[in-house]
Amino acid sequence: MGHEGALLLTVAWAVGLGLGAQLLAHRLRLPAIVLLLLAGVLAGPSVLGWVHPELMGEGLGVLVKLAVAIILFEGALSLRLEDLSHAAVEVRGLITTGVAVTWLLVTLVVRLVGGFSWPLAVLFGSLMTVTGPTVVQPLLRRVRVSRKLKAILEGEAILIDPVGAILAVAVMDVVLGLSGAHRLTWYGALWAYFGRLAVGAVVGSLGGLLLSRLYRRHDWVPMELRNLVALAAVWVVFAVAEAILPEAGLMAAVAMGLVFQRSEVPEERRLRHFKEQLTVLGISVLFILLAADLPLEVVFAAGWPAVWTALLLALLVRPVSVALATWNSNLSWREKLFVAWIGPRGIIAASVASLFALSLRAAGIDGGEQLLAYVFVTIFVTVTLAGLTAPLLASWLGLSSAAGKLALVVGAGPLARTVALLLKEHGRQVMMLDRNQSLVWAARRAGLEAELGNALEEDVLERLGIDEAETLLAATSNPEVNVLVVQLAREEFHTARAYPVINEERGVGSQLVEQVGGRIAFGRPVDIRDWDHAINYEQPPTLTWEVPRPMGRVGELDVPDWLLPLVRLRRDEVEIVHSGQTWEAGEGVVFLSRRPREEAVTTLERLAAGEDGN
């Protein structure tokens, strides 16, 4: 097979294996990077020989830089600046004090444990100052912690990338200078760091301003070209910064994303989703190529010292650096411990290390492949450790409770207000949304927060904080609107607990619910107008029933029409009843009953015993 055919197969295998690993990771609920690294090593020349990154020559370095530009821009674009402002003290400490402490301690650890020379140890220490936003952000979607904790970890991961990566580049310049590869003065070393940050910040900020102005001119950029124009702009800005000063593009991509986001341009969410997809593709392909480029014998040669170095970084260096960086913070010790535990390394460390290995090899300096092996082992260990244990740790520390989490209730009719009051009574933050001004006023008179607006408009949902909503209940009088709201919440905002109220068991509503993977609120189709009328004129009481024994899925229970399960109480958490829910012994369920309490209790006891509830 010729060079062109082999190169085509390499790229095709990298894309196919990368996305296959992403799908498998999603299915198994594992960190994708773990599977990507394994797939890359197995597909490389050392094992199966499917992927040959060496065929790409210098093109691999160019591909790495273009992908990194997209990844950093997307990360900055996704950063919530309002939340970041509430975590400014912690983030500032982590990207200043935390970087310095991490650099120092990792240098000492790899020198003592790994036997690195001092120049390589200092270089490795600077590389390990960066965490991975492409690992941290997906991980935080699976862990229910406060907005401030999320802002701290996301802010650190995104902002520390250019700071740490440019620090590593500056250290690399010093290492090459000491080796005689090129001449470097002390002021040249300072310019290598601060100059790159300054040039990147200026070029990126100008690029972000120009792109935001361009986006506001609908007559200049048609809708179908907007995402592609943004992609081209990111690459142009990155390349211009790189042309002025090599590696300044890292800071330029982050600055451009922050400035563009702050400009509040129209269609920003669509651009964000487009960049998220490109980021997933870029990460998938890069990890396959970079892992395949690392000879397996080099990884084995690194051996246990590399593993111990990674474990010490995660279990000793990270906690010490977080403790010193947040000493003047008002975080509790539990929150500090959680932040200390979440420090996975990701694609930026891998890509920069791969470029360094090439530079060291070209300069005739030994140790480049060993450095790369230690970086990949550290990525594997830290990602696996954080990815598999973060949800358990958050639960053990008491940080993952749903208490206080936002519940967004779409519709402010009598039934929706009843559910909202129950959620609020049990500690949930509740926000209601309706297009009917009189219903909004009624909700406010009942002591609930309510806003006027259309739930099918993304900007309205985003303004109300759906990004951080733990639960969404769509309870308007229109079942199709309810299902569409749930679909929007799940697909655009990743709201996993989104439940529509529908009133037809085999109609369009239930088909759409199955299509979007939603589950029906209250466990069955409900005539919401009938229940609204009953609440207004019959005033049916609520009943809290303690489940005597484990019961099946709520959607399969034969609960009579006059009895409506609203919320489930489990320990300190309250959640809306839905068709996929199961009830365990000792849990409480709050019902709305249109018949006397005694009859309702008797019916529920028969239901628990497996008898017909009607």
Side-chain angles (χ1 to χ4, degrees):
M1 183 183 299
H3 180 273
E4 183 179 342
L7 181 57
L8 176 62
L9 275 177
T10 288
V11 174
W13 273 118
V15 174
L17 290 172
L19 293 179
Q22 290 280 0
L23 291 173
L24 186 59
H26 177 75
R27 181 73 176 172
L28 300 178
R29 297 183 64 82
L30 291 173
I33 287 181
V34 174
L35 298 184
L36 288 169
L37 287 176
L38 292 175
V41 170
L42 292 175
S46 300
V47 185
L48 297 175
W50 294 348
V51 178
H52 293 271
E54 71 277 3
L55 296 175
M56 303 183 71
E58 294 183 356
L60 179 59
V62 175
L63 180 63
V64 167
K65 290 194 173 187
L66 292 177
V68 165
I70 296 173
I71 292 167
L72 292 178
F73 177 78
E74 187 271 328
L77 197 63
S78 302
L79 191 61
R80 299 177 183 89
L81 296 179
E82 182 180 352
D83 291 347
L84 184 62
S85 65
H86 298 301
V89 173
E90 293 80 8
V91 173
R92 184 168 56 246
L94 289 169
I95 65 174
T96 53
T97 305
V99 166
V101 173
T102 299
W103 184 18
L104 173 63
L105 294 182
V106 172
T107 298
L108 295 176
V109 166
V110 79
R111 168 69 178 171
L112 297 174
V113 178
F116 276 37
S117 64
W118 277 113
L120 280 183
V122 173
L123 184 59
F124 179 80
S126 64
L127 269 172
M128 290 298 100
T129 58
V130 298
T131 58
T134 54
V135 187
V136 170
Q137 289 176 322
L139 188 151
L140 290 177
R141 292 193 191 111
R142 296 167 40 216
V143 185
R144 295 186 295 168
V145 293
S146 67
R147 292 181 68 167
K148 184 171 183 177
L149 276 181
K150 285 187 176 182
I152 291 171
L153 289 167
E154 288 181 348
E156 177 202 14
I158 292 165
L159 297 178
I160 210 171
D161 270 355
V163 172
I166 290 176
L167 171 65
V169 171
V171 173
M172 182 67 181
D173 286 345
V174 174
V175 170
L176 293 176
L178 292 175
S179 69
H182 65 251
R183 184 172 176 273
L184 185 70
T185 60
W186 65 269
Y187 52 84
L190 290 177
W191 174 250
Y193 181 63
F194 293 105
R196 286 182 169 98
L197 288 177
V199 169
V202 171
V203 173
S205 298
L206 290 175
L209 287 172
L210 289 174
L211 183 61
S212 63
R213 287 182 176 274
L214 199 61
Y215 253 59
R216 287 196 176 92
R217 296 295 300 268
H218 292 277
D219 54 331
W220 285 8
V221 185
M223 189 67 66
E224 63 270 17
L225 293 179
R226 290 190 160 220
N227 288 338
L228 295 177
V229 168
L231 174 63
V234 171
W235 280 344
V236 167
V237 167
F238 185 88
V240 168
E242 289 282 309
I244 296 174
L245 199 59
E247 312 308 330
L250 299 170
M251 187 65 204
V254 173
M256 185 178 183
L258 292 174
V259 170
F260 185 79
Q261 179 196 164
R262 193 173 182 83
S263 301
E264 297 182 352
V265 298
E267 305 298 328
E268 179 193 322
R269 175 163 291 279
R270 294 182 186 277
L271 174 61
R272 194 181 304 165
H273 289 325
F274 175 66
K275 287 294 188 288
E276 284 177 359
Q277 293 175 333
L278 289 179
T279 295
V280 171
L281 178 62
I283 291 169
S284 304
V285 173
L286 282 191
F287 264 114
I288 296 293
L289 291 174
L290 296 179
D293 199 37
L294 181 63
L296 201 56
E297 59 271 16
V298 175
V299 179
F300 287 141
W304 283 106
V307 176
W308 285 117
T309 298
L311 288 174
L312 287 171
L313 188 154
L315 303 178
L316 175 64
V317 174
R318 173 71 177 175
V320 171
S321 67
V322 169
L324 294 176
T326 60
W327 69 272
N328 61 340
S329 165
N330 59 3
L331 293 177
S332 67
W333 70 267
R334 290 182 175 85
E335 292 171 319
K336 290 182 179 180
L337 179 57
F338 185 77
V339 172
W341 192 256
I342 308 300
R345 272 55 184 173
I347 188 63
I348 303 301
S351 58
V352 175
S354 298
L355 297 176
F356 284 1
L358 296 174
S359 299
L360 290 171
R361 188 185 310 158
I365 301 175
D366 294 332
E369 289 188 339
Q370 183 186 21
L371 176 80
L372 190 59
Y374 269 66
V375 168
F376 273 83
V377 170
T378 301
I379 292 172
F380 185 87
V381 170
T382 56
V383 169
T384 303
L385 194 63
L388 297 182
T389 61
L392 297 175
L393 180 66
S395 177
W396 180 69
L397 292 173
L399 300 175
S400 63
S401 170
K405 303 293 184 182
L406 175 64
L408 183 58
V409 180
V410 177
L415 180 60
R417 293 199 301 270
T418 301
V419 176
L421 287 169
L422 286 170
L423 293 172
K424 183 180 179 182
E425 180 185 337
H426 289 88
R428 295 292 293 273
Q429 179 188 354
V430 180
M431 172 62 73
M432 304 194 76
L433 175 67
D434 203 297
R435 295 179 64 182
N436 187 317
Q437 183 68 73
S438 62
L439 293 179
V440 170
W441 285 336
R444 291 173 178 172
R445 286 195 298 270
L448 296 162
E449 289 188 70
E451 295 290 337
L452 184 69
N454 185 353
L456 294 176
E457 295 179 4
E458 293 181 16
D459 292 342
V460 173
L461 293 176
E462 191 170 13
R463 175 168 52 83
L464 295 182
I466 192 174
D467 280 324
E468 295 299 327
E470 188 73 23
T471 305
L472 180 138
L473 172 66
T476 73
S477 57
N478 188 326
E480 266 113 22
V481 168
N482 294 339
V483 172
L484 290 174
V485 169
V486 167
Q487 183 178 20
L488 180 64
R490 288 175 61 84
E491 293 183 356
E492 299 297 326
F493 298 97
H494 309 293
T495 308
R497 299 184 179 189
Y499 313 117
V501 177
I502 67 169
N503 62 6
E504 47 182 335
E505 191 164 7
R506 300 189 181 277
V508 176
S510 58
Q511 291 175 3
L512 282 173
V513 169
E514 292 177 5
Q515 177 182 331
V516 300
R519 291 170 175 171
I520 300 174
F522 313 136
R524 65 168 192 262
V526 171
D527 188 341
I528 195 167
R529 293 179 186 273
D530 183 49
W531 278 98
D532 282 348
H533 182 274
I535 292 171
N536 279 333
Y537 297 100
E538 299 174 21
Q539 298 182 346
T542 57
L543 161 71
T544 302
W545 177 62
E546 184 174 330
V547 180
R549 60 183 60 84
M551 302 178 70
R553 288 162 57 97
V554 175
E556 299 170 357
L557 299 178
D558 190 19
V559 181
D561 292 342
W562 52 269
L563 198 58
L564 186 64
L566 301 179
V567 298
R568 178 189 66 184
L569 309 176
R570 173 184 285 180
R571 294 185 294 275
D572 61 340
E573 294 188 7
V574 56
E575 189 53 78
I576 294 167
V577 171
H578 60 83
S579 54
Q581 198 175 78
T582 57
W583 296 339
E584 301 295 333
E587 295 177 348
V589 181
V590 180
F591 290 83
L592 204 57
S593 175
R594 298 174 72 169
R595 295 189 184 179
R597 176 186 177 86
E598 294 75 15
E599 183 177 354
V601 172
T602 302
T603 299
L604 291 170
E605 289 175 351
R606 288 205 309 268
L607 193 65
E611 302 176 17
D612 189 348
N614 292 293

